[in-house]
Each structure stands twice: as C-alpha cells, then as structure tokens.
Amino acid sequence: MPQLDYVSPLTAEEAVAALAAGGGLAKVLAGGTDLLVQLRFGRLAPGQIVDVKRVPGAIGIREEDGEFVIGAATPGTLIGEHEALGRAWPGVVEAATLIGSTQIQGRASMAGNLCNASPAADSVPALVAAGATCVIVGPAGRRTAAAETIAVAPGVTSLTPDEFILEIRLPRRPRRSADAYLRSIPRTEMDIAVVGVGVSLSLDEAGVVSHARVAMGAVGPTVIVADAAAGALIGTQVDEAALAALDAAARAACSPISDKRGTVEFRTRIAGVLARRAAIIAFARAGKR
Amino acid sequence: MSEVLDRGVTEVELKVVGTRPIRPDGTEKVTGAAMFGADFSMPGMLVGKIKRSPHAHARIVSIDTRRARAVPGVKAVVTAADFPDLASEEYEGGESASNLRDLSLNCMARAKALYDGHAVAAVAAVSAAAAAEAIDLIEIEYEVLPHVIDVEEAMAHDAPVLHAHLFTEGLETRPLSPSNIAQKNELARGDLPAGFAAADVVMEHRYTTAAVHQGYIEPHACVASFAPDGQCQVWSSSQGQFMVRTYCAKVLDLEASNIRVTPAEIGGGFGGKTTVYLEPVALALSRQAGAPVKMVMSREDVFRATGPTSGAVIEIKLGATREGEITAADVVLKYQAGAFPGSPVGAGSMTALACYDIANFRITGYDVVTNSPKVAAYRAPGAPIAAFAVESAVDEMALELGMDPIVLRERNAVKDGVKAAYGPTYRNIGYLETLEAIRDHPHYAAPLGPNQGRGVAVGFWFNVGGESTAAVHINEDGTAVVVTGNPDIGGSRASMAMMAAEVLGLPIEKVRPIVADTASIGFSMLTGGSRTTFATGMAVTQAAQKIVAELRRRAAQIWNVDPEKAEWRNGAAVCLDPAKPEIEPLSLAALAGRSARTGGPITAEVSLTAQGAGPGFGAHICDVEVDPETGHVTILRYTAAQDVGRAIHPAYVEGQIQGGVAQGIGWALNEEYVFDRLGRMENAGFLDYRVPVASDLPMIEPIIVEVANPRHPFGAKGVGEVPIVPPLAAVANAVRRAIGVRMTDLPLSPPKIRAVIDAR
Amino acid sequence: MKRRHVSAIVNGDPVEFLTWPGSTLLDALRDELLLTGSKEGCSSGDCGACSVIVDGRLVCSCLMLAAEAEGRRIETIEGMAEDGALHPLQRKFLEHAALQCGFCTPGLLVAAKALLEANPEPTESEARYWLAGNLCRCTGYDKVIRAVMDAAAEMRQARRL
C-alpha cells in the first residue's frame, strides 16, 4: 500500500497538525485493531496514519479528584489490570475487557472502540451509562464532549478530521454506586455483541436507587440511552416489578435491525433480558459499598 | 488418557504399536521451523493474485487486460484463454471422482462466472502492491444473470439454470431440458409400503442444514515454477502431491514426468485440500512470466472460493413397532453441489442407514448445482448431514416409544453378517461394542440439572484402501528411513515409523519417516478417506517385512545354515540351528554394516492397492445446558466411543476423535454460510463464520474400542472421519431433551432457540 | 514513496528492516526477517496464528503496523526455546500430542507463554478464555489445555526449587 504514510507525533499539537495536513484522509491510530482490518480489506482510502500513542497522556490511567482519567489509547489489558478502576467502575472495565481476544486486548483502546462508531461496540454502553466524557484535542485547543455524542451514525463520528480524543474521563462517583455490563454473543468469546447493555446506578442511604443510567448497544445505529428504562429503576430496590418495567422499557427503546448476527425480535428480547441481569448485578455491587 | 477397550485384538505382544512416542516432526512444529505452503521462497519469486467475480452468476462478455499488463512490475496476466479448453473427462484420484473440465473451469472461469469469488483472471507481479493494482485494472464486462443458491429453489422448474448442457442423470427417461439437478440416485431394499404398514408409529420430518466450511486455519498456498525447458516444480500445501501433479498436468496439458510436486507441511485439510485451486494458475503465470510465482489465498478468498460442504434438505419418514423394531425408512437427500456437479450426496445416501438393520428402505439422493463455491470433501463427506436427520428421527422415535435411545439403537443394530444398507456384508465391525461402551460409561448415568439435556447419536464411515507406495531403506549404521507419499495431516508420519519399527524390531528413535515428492516415491493416492494408516501403513509394513525376509536370508548365508533356521527377533537375526549353538545373534546394525559384501543395499519398496479397509462406527453422548432467556447452548460434557480396530498411536487416535467432535459441534451450533440477496457471502471471515473457540468446549473424552480388522497387519481401521458424523444430532438431541422441542434446522443459533422457546 | 527503516529487538537480538507504511509487523517478521514461524491465518485478528509478544503484551502481529515496532521488544515463537532447550510448554505440547497439523501451534505457544507469565496458576476455564483468540481446527483444544496446565504445574514446581 505505497500511498499510505505513517507518522508518530510526540505532542498533541503535532498530532493535530498531522491530521489537519491529511486533508480528510488522515486516520488516528491507537491500538489499530479496527484500523488495520479496514486498511487490509480496502474499506479505507489510503492516506496519512497518525499514531497517537506517543502523545503525552495517550496511554495511562490516573485518578484526579475522584475522577478517573484514561488515556485514549490505553489498551484493554492495562484497563483490566488497574485495581482502583476495577473497584470504582467494574462495568466499564468489564465492557472494555470483553472486546475481542487476549491479543486484541493487548492493543484495543476504548477511544478507538468509540470512534470506530460501530453500533455493537462493547465499551460504549458502559461508558455512556457511566456518564463518561471525552477530552478532544483540535486546532482550537481542547474541548469536552459526552461519550454518547461521539458516534453519530455507523462509522461516523462528530469529530472533525483534525481532532482526536486524548482522554476519557469517568466522573466522580457518589458512594454506593456501581455499574455492570453484559452482552449477548453466540459463542463464549470473540464475537461482536448482538446486544450489549450497560447499567450504572447509585443508591441512597436506604438502599433505594437514586440515580440510574441504562445504555444499550447493537440495537440501534448508535448507542441508545434508555431514559424510561433508567426511570423504571429509580425509587426502587430493583424488585421484580421494577425489573419487569425495566425489561419492557428497554425493549420499547430498541430499534435494532436484522442482520447476519441477529434478528429484530431476538435483539429486542435480549435487550430486556440483559437489562434485567445487568441491573441485578449493579444493584448487588452497589449494595456492598 | 482415554479408556481403551480391548475386544479380541491379536495376541502378538507389540512393543511400539500402541505406545505414544513423540512425533518425529514435533520439534520443528513447536519451534516454528516447519515449512508450510506460504513459508517457501524461491529466488526471483513473483507474487500471484487472482481477480474474482463479484457476481454470483454472470456471463463473461469480455476481458481486457491491456491496462493491467502496463502496470510496472507486472510480469504475467492470464485468463481462461491461457488454459486448454478441456473436454469433459472423469478422473478418479481425489477422494471421489471428479470431472477434469469442471475442475479446470473452477480454477479459471470460461464464459461464465458461477459464484461470487469465482476466479476470472490472474496476475503475477514483482510485489503485492503491483499485483493488486493490476487486478483492479483488469476490465471485465459481465452480463449479470439471476442466481440461485437454496437447494430446493435450484431444483425448481423455473430456477435459473447454471449449465446449459447439464441434464439430470439417473432418471428413467432422459429429460429434454437442462436442469440444476445433476443426478438422482436411489438405494432401496424390501417393500416400503409393507414396512410402514407393519409399523405402530410412523413419523415424518424435514431437516435442513447450511453449507459449512472445513475451516482449516492455513489458507491455500503454493509456489510454482515453470522453467523454459518445461520442467515444472510445485511446492504446495495439499493432501496429495500426486493429485496435484495429475490435476496440473491435465488442466495445463502437460506430461506428469515434467512436474515435480513437493508437499509442504499442511495446516489442516479435512478434505478441503484434496483438490487444486491455485497450482495450475500459478504454473500458467510462471510459464508466462519466466519466473517462479507464489500464491497465497486470503481468508476471505478461502471462504468465497474454496469448497465448503453442501447445505441440504433431508426428508425422512420412519416407521417402528411399539417394541422398537424399525420396520421402514424413507429418506430423501437434497444436497448443494455448488457451481459444478459433485456433492457428496452419494456417500450421504450410502451411510444414512449404515448403522441400522432395516428390512425395508428407500434412500433417494439429489445432486444439485447452485451459484455457490464448488463443494469439496469435508471429513466423511455427506455423512454428517444424513446422520443429523436419521439420528434426530431415531431419537424422536425413542421419545415417542418411551424407549432409551441406546436400547432402541441396539435393537436395530447392524452386526457381523448383516448386509449393509449400501451393499457389502459387515465383517469384524465394532458397532455394538461402541453402544455398549457409552451405555456403561459413567457419563450416561450422571445426573442432569434444570435446562440441561443429554443426547445420544451414532455414526458410520467406510474407510477406503486405495493405492499406496512405501519404501524402507536401511542405512549403513542400522537405522532406517521410511519413505511414503502421503502428506501427514493428523500424525500418520509417526504411525508409519511405528509400524516399521515394530516389524524391524528397532526402537522408534532409529526409524525416520519422510514424506517424499512425486519424483522420489511411487504413486500414492491422496491422504483422505481415513486411509493413510490403513493403506500406506500396509505398504510400509509389507516393505519392512520384505526387509526382514532379506535380513534373515543374509544372516543364514553368513552362518551357512538353511534360511528357515534364521529367525528375526527384537531387531536381530537369531540362529535356530541346533547344530550351531555357538552362533550369536546378528543385529540389524551388524548386518547393515556388511551389506555391500552380502548382496548390496538393503531396501524394499511396496506398491499396493489396499483392500479390506474396515469401516468405522462411533457412538457419542452430549450434555448441554440451554439458557432459556438468551437461547445460548453450552456444551457441558461430551463422550465419544469409536471402534478403531487398533490404535497404532493412541494419542493421535484420541486427537482425531476430539477434533472431529469439535467440528461437529461447530456445525451444530454456529457455523453456516450466510449469503446476501445478491448471492455474495456475508460472513467470509473468522469473525462471523464462527468456529468453536477454546472456551466454547469442555474436555472431550474419547473411548477407544478395538475390534481388530484382520485384513490390516496390526488390525487398524481408519479413524479420522467417523468422529464428525454423530455430533450434529448428539447436540440436537441434547437440546431436544433440554427444551422439549425438536430443532430441525442447523445451526442451532441462539435466535432460533429463543424463538422456539417463545413458541413453546 | 520510500520504505521506512525500523529498528527493534526481536527475541533479544537487535534487528533492522525496511517496511512500507501500510505493512504489518507480521509481514515484516515473515518477509523481511524471514521468521516464518508466525503464521497468517486471517489478516483480521480473529485467529491468533500470528500471535507475538510486544513489550510484554500478547498481540496479533497482523494488527500492528511494522512501523510501530520501532524501538520495541518483540518475542516470537522462534525465541521460545533457549540455547537449544525447548520451553516447558513446547515439551508438554509434544508429550500431550497437543498438535496435529501444527499450523496454529506457534501462536498458541506464544499465547500460552503470555498466559503463564500473567497467571502462573490458571484454572482450566481461565486458560480456555485466555486462549480463545487462538483458533485450532484440528485438536478440539482438549490436549492443548492439558498441556498448558501441565506445563504450568511444572513451571511452578521449578520455581519452588
């Protein structure tokens, strides 16, 4: 592929300049687990590859005033190994570490997963349920955007060609909060999610759900934030009635397609099932804190 | 380690056969040094690439290669115009007969593209980039035609016809119009209506399966060199170097002696590499370019353009008495052949009822061409599909009769002396023994929990004999080399060495097996049909026996005694003449050391057409758990009993059983070809063509049953293919018992299971 | 368009090679360094036959650009045996007959080595999930898992001594 060029900038500004110079054909390289497949299969026109892994802050996890700041190109294995992150955000970690195989985990990043904008991306429902935000660097400097605003359509993001995500931030967590992510796949590993559901909730002193967010993947062109589903949990202790309401609301919020991975009916059904199961897990986790 | 159940094996005490030595090619395989097809290089080598049709069915109106030829670095461009236009000719050399004209057209389309992915042109260039650029610049004008892939749609009167010259064979009157039904065949016995009339319960079902691929991890690869003097060399990952030579010779109209094919190590075949796709094209490119050409398929091309096995429809009507005697069976098999005739429906028909002694039956098979890749052999070709239907139907009958599924099968089991549904009379078969083995195994009595079910299924495969040549050479230091012409796809190389070592009385470390090229060993039929340990093993054994006879003769000559007085024991000649008690034994090394003075090199070669292959039977138990909310099936436990005659190397026999079971499980649960409405494969990659991964499977317990085959020197029967036959139904029967509903359509993917549970 | 020059450490040795920007690490290993032990099974990261370890992380070399290898430490199957002695995993694979055609074996061995470095005492389930990215079509995984567990036990024992 002789048309392609590769650069590995050492600062965020250099990276932005390289992207800008690419004239729309430049692509960000983090873990490469989506990009290289697209290159190989001719789905991308040749252009500039801008490797952001050496930009300061691109790889690494740190805590800042209770927020977790995750470098955009941090591979899944680092996310999975970070004990504090795993304690605070087990659902996000589950989601990130479910992407692909161990080998994929050695490279794949959450920002890459987000910016690939596949409806079935595993990390996205958990990030969105968590209320994650992205710090985006561009020619005009830095800006912040909610994770659910990144993908606007399958394969299309809200980023301009000269922007890239530098870090993902998870907000400070109230006490008695927890999240969970579940997905349905035909095998036990290796598959793209047929449905993925992330639930994040917080409990008040009495153990009643005071805050909840439910996000679903692979049941619409982009992640679906199911407000009614979340509403079904608030004010409850996730009893059977709440779960039934959650199930129904989750199903109602879906707008999946039928494709080689699943039918409309199946995806809708499973969205309800996974919403229930994830809510039960998140509730149990939150109760233990 | 598996259980080995000895049922009357020959009494001779064996020292090597039956043990588990480290395989001779083991170190090179675990260090990455073994050379597979894509690992070869030659100086000046070019990269070859194929241009493939994007249409499932189209007339090729014109091909213009001028712009492609002008790309810098492009050294050759070929199309069908560079291949002889062959007449139709049947050739027996693959696992089944093939039509050479069809084979040639499949390697390079002429006039028509018959499936998405069909090769229409090829390029050789100095780099992959130049080749890719040239491929894009080949201009092809197509007239797109309506296509058909579903087997019953292809059989319909108004289906688009693939071949204007194809008229259904096997009908009573020759039809007037061409059809996609290439052949109808029928096997029948007894009086079908009377048989059903005698039944207390009659059930009728329809089963469907999708096309599945062998799924070998190594894509097809070869390096070919066509020198200016006409001498051709091919290194190829294939299941038969002689088959490759023959096909290249026929497709390019060359003489066999001008082609030398060296088998590379092969990264899986399972039947899918018993034919050629790249080799004739690489040779044609090399001839034009004047340089060697390497061609390696992408994974996508492997799926789009190499043979899966058939998708099929099976209709089965079964009748039985309340006591469990199956009185009648009527089976109709409709198999996809892909773009050219030649599905394994014949073998499917022959094996469908092979485990059952039924007086009245009819098996009808249809071989149907479809706009999908030409099917290739896949491990017991045709049998798993038929067994899925028969074993599901028998299981349903067992449920209806309230009978244990093993007991029902025992009641109708074939045994020695019974005439098989496909013709011959069974001798020395171990079918009942395999049923006994699973019946008595602790798995069968283990308790089951909620949403769990246990399925039983049996399977059969005949093993072929065929032509094999083997040579054994004794080196001057008393070590030995065993030369055969069969690529090692499952550990056969080790077994060849073991059999020779056993006969020669040498430790296994002193016997080196090699797989030779076509110029260095006599003809051997390819590795397939579970034949290598049987047939090539027989040739190896006989060659070693000839060597032993020669060694005895030389020892007798040295000792000046009668030849019958020199016996071979534990790797040495021993003098039995009572008049000469002082004579010490002469070891193989000692005899080899003086070979020049006693008659010259000690070597033997045997060519034979092995007869008497013993068919194999298997009986499997599968436990599953179904998640009723998600439709997900988990395989909890799997036990597979098989009669192997004699396990030459038990670890490799176990490996064959486990590998075949794993493929069968994938076939049952998740594997299928998915086509879009334009007839293009949607899941041509390992992401969405879902073979089992390590976390999908439990340990698979093999039970080796040994009912010796008296026509093999060590009692061996073929092993490799039987294991894939029962699992489709074993899994489906387990799911039936877990969810209470019979699934008749494979694969049993979660959406289907969930839908059936919802409707329950 | 010129090729890039890359310097890296492969199996402990410094190496240099030229690569096109779009070529993968797998391409470079096989075609430039002639280390053909890593195999190409799918080019999409779904089969694991190309597995290598980069800076201590198990990755698919088909999903990494060769250019990214600059300055990195790469371990391939060819570096697994040391001074002619097979690694315990290699020995156990042979003892347990955990390979049939052998094509997936290099990738499996590298992945298993990474597993035992991360988790010296895996359960059967942990081993299976870790190795889920390595497809094998011949063995059904049974003997592979047995070999890995047996090697793990031997390596733990050796560390205790």
Side-chain angles (χ1 to χ4, degrees), chain A residues 41-225:
Chain A
F41 287 83
R43 292 202 281 272
L44 270 187
Q48 181 87 262
I49 293 178
V50 182
D51 186 341
V52 297
K53 291 195 286 295
R54 296 204 285 171
V55 171
I59 296 184
I61 303 171
R62 66 182 196 277
E63 277 185 78
E64 234 175 54
D65 304 318
E67 284 195 345
F68 278 91
V69 184
I70 304 167
T74 308
T77 44
L78 280 183
I79 291 173
E81 288 163 5
H82 200 278
E83 282 185 28
L85 183 64
R87 274 196 302 276
W89 294 101
V92 170
V93 171
E94 269 160 358
T97 55
L98 274 175
I99 303 170
S101 61
T102 312
Q103 287 88 342
I104 299 296
Q105 285 289 301
R107 299 258 296 163
S109 65
M110 288 202 294
N113 197 228
L114 198 50
C115 292
N116 192 42
S118 159
D122 274 312
S123 68
V124 176
L127 285 173
V128 168
T133 55
C134 302
V135 173
I136 300 163
V137 183
R142 300 190 175 203
R143 66 183 181 90
T144 302
E148 62 264 34
T149 66
I150 301 299
V152 300
V156 183
T157 68
S158 58
L159 273 56
T160 60
D162 49 9
E163 288 182 310
F164 71 99
I165 296 178
L166 178 62
E167 20 181 77
I168 296 177
R169 289 176 168 256
L170 296 171
R172 204 210 232 105
R173 208 78 160 111
R175 278 192 69 245
R176 307 200 89 195
S177 300
D179 63 347
Y181 174 79
L182 290 174
R183 69 173 182 182
S184 170
I185 51 171
R187 292 178 292 184
T188 55
E189 258 291 6
M190 297 301 287
D191 290 324
I192 299 285
V194 179
V195 182
V197 177
V199 174
S200 177
L201 44 81
S202 305
L203 309 181
D204 66 17
E205 290 307 314
V208 172
V209 176
S210 57
H211 164 84
R213 220 142 113 96
V214 175
M216 303 188 295
V219 289
T222 59
V223 68
I224 291 182
V225 182

Side-chain angles (χ1 to χ4, degrees), chain B residues 30 39 654 671 692 700, chain C residues 30 39 90 137 141-143:
Chain B
V30 299
D39 300 331
E654 290 163 358
E671 294 179 41
I700 298 165
Chain C
R30 288 179 57 82
K39 307 298 181 194
Q90 291 169 309
R137 198 57 163 164
Y141 306 104
D142 182 297
K143 292 178 187 301

Side-chain angles (χ1 to χ4, degrees), chain B residues 313-514:
Chain B
V313 174
I314 314 102
E315 289 150 349
I316 174 165
K317 185 175 167 186
L318 206 62
T321 66
R322 279 271 152 225
E323 291 72 44
E325 185 198 336
I326 299 175
T327 55
D330 191 3
V331 186
V332 176
L333 306 167
K334 303 171 188 171
Y335 283 27
Q336 285 172 326
F340 300 93
S343 79
V345 71
S349 304
M350 290 166 77
T351 58
L353 298 175
C355 298
Y356 297 94
D357 188 4
I358 303 178
N360 312 291
F361 64 80
R362 179 178 61 189
I363 305 167
T364 312
Y366 294 95
D367 181 35
V368 182
V369 296
T370 53
N371 290 114
S372 50
K374 178 182 190 328
V375 306
Y378 180 18
R379 205 166 198 163
I385 297 166
F388 166 58
V390 170
E391 290 303 293
S392 295
V394 169
D395 191 59
E396 202 58 34
M397 184 64 81
L399 284 164
E400 178 61 36
L401 299 177
M403 200 174 270
D404 175 278
I406 296 180
V407 170
L408 177 57
R409 287 174 173 84
E410 283 175 334
R411 215 156 273 192
N412 296 278
V414 294
K415 27 176 129 30
D416 284 359
V418 165
K419 189 163 149 55
Y422 66 97
T425 301
Y426 286 124
R427 302 237 174 280
N428 307 109
I429 64 169
Y431 175 47
L432 277 170
E433 287 84 346
T434 63
L435 284 172
E436 206 177 289
I438 59 168
R439 189 194 65 206
D440 298 340
H441 194 279
H443 181 173
Y444 202 57
L448 287 166
N451 296 314
Q452 296 180 356
R454 174 164 299 148
V456 165
V458 299
F460 164 89
W461 186 252
F462 17 47
N463 302 298
V464 312
E467 299 168 291
S468 277
T469 305
V472 178
H473 310 305
I474 302 299
N475 302 319
E476 64 274 15
D477 59 358
T479 58
V481 177
V482 176
V483 185
T484 64
N486 279 94
D488 182 353
I489 63 175
S492 55
R493 181 171 10 199
S495 302
M496 299 303 119
M498 290 167 77
M499 286 184 266
E502 188 74 57
V503 172
L504 294 171
L506 287 175
I508 186 69
E509 304 75 40
K510 295 204 187 288
V511 180
R512 167 72 37 194
I514 68 154

